[in-house]
Amino acid sequence: MAGVAIEAVRERTDIVDLIGAKVRLRQAGRNLKGLCPFHEEKTPSFVVYPESQSYHCFGCGKSGDAFSFIMDTENLDFSDTLKLLAARAGVELESQRPQRRDPEIDRERARLIELNERAASYFTNLLWTSPAGSSARAVLEQRGVDRPTADRFGLGFAPDSFDALKSHFLAREIDEQDMLAAGLLTKNENTGRTYDRFRNRLTFPIRNRDGRVVGFGARALGDEKPKYLNSPQTPIFDKRSILYGLDKAYDTIRRERSMVIVEGYMDAIAAHQCGYENVVASMGTAITPNQVASIRRYLDRVYLALDSDTAGQMATLRGIDSMRESFVDDSRVEVSANRMIRFERTLGAEIRIVVLPEGKDPDEFIRAHPDAWPEALK
Ligand SMILES: [Zn+2]
């Protein structure tokens, strides 16, 4: 479980916040610069990289991540560093057992990510080359998703088979237990047999902030239930702490200081295809504090553009409660008449609920009126 806790802490820690509390940082292009805390200097050569959540000093050569920064500046071992960062991020550690940074855990994470990325390539290849993929291609055509956009998001097709992916991987000497751990297979607890989790579905690789594939969302092409199926919780995937499309939206969100949250994969993809690149999807009905934690320092404004149906309305309300937790240092929340909630004392961050005209979902609306989207957010 240590790996999960470390990951949760990592996701909820922003290195700019962390280092910014100790070192005066100034924006320098995409990065930030300051006087190195590790050596004496008069001109800043210490650079913090928000995208990779790392730092490097061009003077003394020190570099690392949030964990190593605290270990070195506070003179703590890894276990105490984890405790400190967990407390700061509001992550509860499961036990008080001493935690080490286990290279085996890093290796396992890397292996599980690699399997998910190989599965994504396999599904993408089938989408465009297999005759059976025509049903998935038809959905994309019907939704107006063009080829460059589909490629950019790595969309794919999981065939209607219990062992297509499993056989493909076994033939490449990939361990069945690893496939299971990566969330690509499901195990029947009665028979002990494993089989492909995603069958006859359009697949959406879900990437972390760094753009690595950590799981999948998959839309049924037939009558399969549920209509949308996600990867299970794994050491690399926790649906409640990830926003779909954040890897592609990150730069734009930071530049525009605003983020639009939609509910579904297709909503986010439609927005990006039309050039609205600050859009991410919550992948479900509720928005959790963890999802927003890693990006909140860059936000002046968050738009919630959720589905128009009742479920969407409910999700909107729950989403607001979650946001309130995320902006936890704000004691005063003010709801104004135009349904806008303003969180005071948070860099002026506002949360706006977008009600789309004609009761449309974001995907439908953007496709029907691509140019009207900015106006709809106002
Ligand atoms: Zn230095």
PDB file of all heavy atoms in Angstrom, residues 23 41 106 123 147 155 195 230 260 274 299 313 343:
ATOM      1  N   VAL A  23      11.684  29.183  -1.351  1.00  0.00           N
ATOM      2  CA  VAL A  23      12.541  29.907  -2.284  1.00  0.00           C
ATOM      3  C   VAL A  23      11.672  30.883  -3.064  1.00  0.00           C
ATOM      4  O   VAL A  23      10.587  30.513  -3.526  1.00  0.00           O
ATOM      5  CB  VAL A  23      13.208  28.925  -3.289  1.00  0.00           C
ATOM      6  CG1 VAL A  23      14.066  29.680  -4.285  1.00  0.00           C
ATOM      7  CG2 VAL A  23      14.021  27.875  -2.552  1.00  0.00           C
ATOM      8  N   GLU A  41      24.584  31.711  -3.938  1.00  0.00           N
ATOM      9  CA  GLU A  41      24.703  32.360  -5.243  1.00  0.00           C
ATOM     10  C   GLU A  41      24.000  33.709  -5.242  1.00  0.00           C
ATOM     11  O   GLU A  41      23.120  33.966  -4.421  1.00  0.00           O
ATOM     12  CB  GLU A  41      24.159  31.459  -6.365  1.00  0.00           C
ATOM     13  CG  GLU A  41      22.672  31.145  -6.266  1.00  0.00           C
ATOM     14  CD  GLU A  41      22.189  30.334  -7.463  1.00  0.00           C
ATOM     15  OE1 GLU A  41      23.010  29.992  -8.332  1.00  0.00           O
ATOM     16  OE2 GLU A  41      20.986  30.066  -7.534  1.00  0.00           O
ATOM     17  N   ASP A 106       8.776   1.376  -7.715  1.00  0.00           N
ATOM     18  CA  ASP A 106       8.977   2.185  -8.919  1.00  0.00           C
ATOM     19  C   ASP A 106       9.044   1.294 -10.152  1.00  0.00           C
ATOM     20  O   ASP A 106       8.486   1.619 -11.192  1.00  0.00           O
ATOM     21  CB  ASP A 106      10.276   3.000  -8.807  1.00  0.00           C
ATOM     22  CG  ASP A 106      10.110   4.181  -7.856  1.00  0.00           C
ATOM     23  OD1 ASP A 106       8.953   4.493  -7.514  1.00  0.00           O
ATOM     24  OD2 ASP A 106      11.121   4.775  -7.463  1.00  0.00           O
ATOM     25  N   PHE A 123      -4.832  -1.754 -29.247  1.00  0.00           N
ATOM     26  CA  PHE A 123      -6.220  -1.351 -29.529  1.00  0.00           C
ATOM     27  C   PHE A 123      -6.282  -0.350 -30.689  1.00  0.00           C
ATOM     28  O   PHE A 123      -7.178  -0.405 -31.526  1.00  0.00           O
ATOM     29  CB  PHE A 123      -6.863  -0.727 -28.280  1.00  0.00           C
ATOM     30  CG  PHE A 123      -7.096  -1.692 -27.139  1.00  0.00           C
ATOM     31  CD1 PHE A 123      -6.974  -1.265 -25.815  1.00  0.00           C
ATOM     32  CD2 PHE A 123      -7.453  -3.015 -27.378  1.00  0.00           C
ATOM     33  CE1 PHE A 123      -7.200  -2.143 -24.754  1.00  0.00           C
ATOM     34  CE2 PHE A 123      -7.683  -3.903 -26.317  1.00  0.00           C
ATOM     35  CZ  PHE A 123      -7.551  -3.464 -25.002  1.00  0.00           C
ATOM     36  N   ARG A 147      -9.613  11.923 -37.787  1.00  0.00           N
ATOM     37  CA  ARG A 147      -8.495  11.009 -37.568  1.00  0.00           C
ATOM     38  C   ARG A 147      -7.366  11.628 -36.741  1.00  0.00           C
ATOM     39  O   ARG A 147      -6.864  10.992 -35.804  1.00  0.00           O
ATOM     40  CB  ARG A 147      -7.982  10.494 -38.926  1.00  0.00           C
ATOM     41  CG  ARG A 147      -6.783   9.564 -38.847  1.00  0.00           C
ATOM     42  CD  ARG A 147      -7.161   8.210 -38.247  1.00  0.00           C
ATOM     43  NE  ARG A 147      -5.989   7.415 -37.932  1.00  0.00           N
ATOM     44  CZ  ARG A 147      -5.517   6.424 -38.689  1.00  0.00           C
ATOM     45  NH1 ARG A 147      -6.134   6.102 -39.808  1.00  0.00           N
ATOM     46  NH2 ARG A 147      -4.447   5.744 -38.334  1.00  0.00           N
ATOM     47  N   LEU A 155      -7.205   6.796 -29.420  1.00  0.00           N
ATOM     48  CA  LEU A 155      -8.410   5.965 -29.340  1.00  0.00           C
ATOM     49  C   LEU A 155      -8.160   4.606 -29.982  1.00  0.00           C
ATOM     50  O   LEU A 155      -7.310   4.462 -30.858  1.00  0.00           O
ATOM     51  CB  LEU A 155      -9.584   6.676 -30.025  1.00  0.00           C
ATOM     52  CG  LEU A 155      -9.885   8.086 -29.512  1.00  0.00           C
ATOM     53  CD1 LEU A 155     -11.198   8.590 -30.091  1.00  0.00           C
ATOM     54  CD2 LEU A 155      -9.934   8.118 -27.988  1.00  0.00           C
ATOM     55  N   TYR A 195      -9.682 -13.178 -18.007  1.00  0.00           N
ATOM     56  CA  TYR A 195     -10.100 -12.872 -19.377  1.00  0.00           C
ATOM     57  C   TYR A 195     -10.004 -11.370 -19.624  1.00  0.00           C
ATOM     58  O   TYR A 195      -9.880 -10.585 -18.675  1.00  0.00           O
ATOM     59  CB  TYR A 195     -11.524 -13.379 -19.630  1.00  0.00           C
ATOM     60  CG  TYR A 195     -12.537 -12.921 -18.607  1.00  0.00           C
ATOM     61  CD1 TYR A 195     -13.256 -11.742 -18.808  1.00  0.00           C
ATOM     62  CD2 TYR A 195     -12.760 -13.645 -17.433  1.00  0.00           C
ATOM     63  CE1 TYR A 195     -14.172 -11.306 -17.867  1.00  0.00           C
ATOM     64  CE2 TYR A 195     -13.673 -13.210 -16.487  1.00  0.00           C
ATOM     65  CZ  TYR A 195     -14.373 -12.041 -16.711  1.00  0.00           C
ATOM     66  OH  TYR A 195     -15.270 -11.602 -15.775  1.00  0.00           O
ATOM     67  N   ASN A 230     -14.402   1.450 -16.819  1.00  0.00           N
ATOM     68  CA  ASN A 230     -13.044   1.955 -16.587  1.00  0.00           C
ATOM     69  C   ASN A 230     -12.122   0.841 -16.143  1.00  0.00           C
ATOM     70  O   ASN A 230     -12.569  -0.219 -15.727  1.00  0.00           O
ATOM     71  CB  ASN A 230     -13.043   3.009 -15.469  1.00  0.00           C
ATOM     72  CG  ASN A 230     -13.616   4.322 -15.931  1.00  0.00           C
ATOM     73  OD1 ASN A 230     -14.683   4.729 -15.504  1.00  0.00           O
ATOM     74  ND2 ASN A 230     -12.915   4.976 -16.823  1.00  0.00           N
ATOM     75  N   VAL A 260     -12.087  24.044 -17.906  1.00  0.00           N
ATOM     76  CA  VAL A 260     -13.478  23.631 -18.068  1.00  0.00           C
ATOM     77  C   VAL A 260     -13.552  22.140 -17.769  1.00  0.00           C
ATOM     78  O   VAL A 260     -12.789  21.355 -18.333  1.00  0.00           O
ATOM     79  CB  VAL A 260     -13.983  23.880 -19.508  1.00  0.00           C
ATOM     80  CG1 VAL A 260     -15.447  23.464 -19.632  1.00  0.00           C
ATOM     81  CG2 VAL A 260     -13.799  25.337 -19.898  1.00  0.00           C
ATOM     82  N   CYS A 274     -12.068  21.192 -31.542  1.00  0.00           N
ATOM     83  CA  CYS A 274     -12.462  22.535 -31.977  1.00  0.00           C
ATOM     84  C   CYS A 274     -11.492  23.601 -31.472  1.00  0.00           C
ATOM     85  O   CYS A 274     -11.753  24.796 -31.612  1.00  0.00           O
ATOM     86  CB  CYS A 274     -13.874  22.851 -31.507  1.00  0.00           C
ATOM     87  SG  CYS A 274     -15.111  21.874 -32.372  1.00  0.00           S
ATOM     88  N   LEU A 299      -5.348  28.073 -11.197  1.00  0.00           N
ATOM     89  CA  LEU A 299      -6.703  28.379 -11.640  1.00  0.00           C
ATOM     90  C   LEU A 299      -7.239  29.680 -11.073  1.00  0.00           C
ATOM     91  O   LEU A 299      -7.210  29.896  -9.871  1.00  0.00           O
ATOM     92  CB  LEU A 299      -7.641  27.244 -11.218  1.00  0.00           C
ATOM     93  CG  LEU A 299      -7.354  25.890 -11.856  1.00  0.00           C
ATOM     94  CD1 LEU A 299      -8.205  24.828 -11.189  1.00  0.00           C
ATOM     95  CD2 LEU A 299      -7.633  25.942 -13.341  1.00  0.00           C
ATOM     96  N   GLN A 313     -27.151  17.328 -13.326  1.00  0.00           N
ATOM     97  CA  GLN A 313     -27.466  18.336 -12.306  1.00  0.00           C
ATOM     98  C   GLN A 313     -26.971  17.886 -10.940  1.00  0.00           C
ATOM     99  O   GLN A 313     -26.374  18.642 -10.189  1.00  0.00           O
ATOM    100  CB  GLN A 313     -28.985  18.574 -12.232  1.00  0.00           C
ATOM    101  CG  GLN A 313     -29.598  19.063 -13.527  1.00  0.00           C
ATOM    102  CD  GLN A 313     -29.200  20.492 -13.866  1.00  0.00           C
ATOM    103  OE1 GLN A 313     -28.706  21.211 -13.014  1.00  0.00           O
ATOM    104  NE2 GLN A 313     -29.408  20.885 -15.102  1.00  0.00           N
ATOM    105  N   PHE A 343     -15.249  31.528  -4.539  1.00  0.00           N
ATOM    106  CA  PHE A 343     -14.439  31.170  -3.397  1.00  0.00           C
ATOM    107  C   PHE A 343     -13.500  32.324  -3.123  1.00  0.00           C
ATOM    108  O   PHE A 343     -12.563  32.571  -3.865  1.00  0.00           O
ATOM    109  CB  PHE A 343     -13.643  29.902  -3.683  1.00  0.00           C
ATOM    110  CG  PHE A 343     -14.513  28.700  -3.818  1.00  0.00           C
ATOM    111  CD1 PHE A 343     -15.135  28.414  -5.015  1.00  0.00           C
ATOM    112  CD2 PHE A 343     -14.728  27.872  -2.736  1.00  0.00           C
ATOM    113  CE1 PHE A 343     -15.955  27.317  -5.136  1.00  0.00           C
ATOM    114  CE2 PHE A 343     -15.548  26.772  -2.855  1.00  0.00           C
ATOM    115  CZ  PHE A 343     -16.168  26.493  -4.053  1.00  0.00           C
TER     116      PHE A 343
END
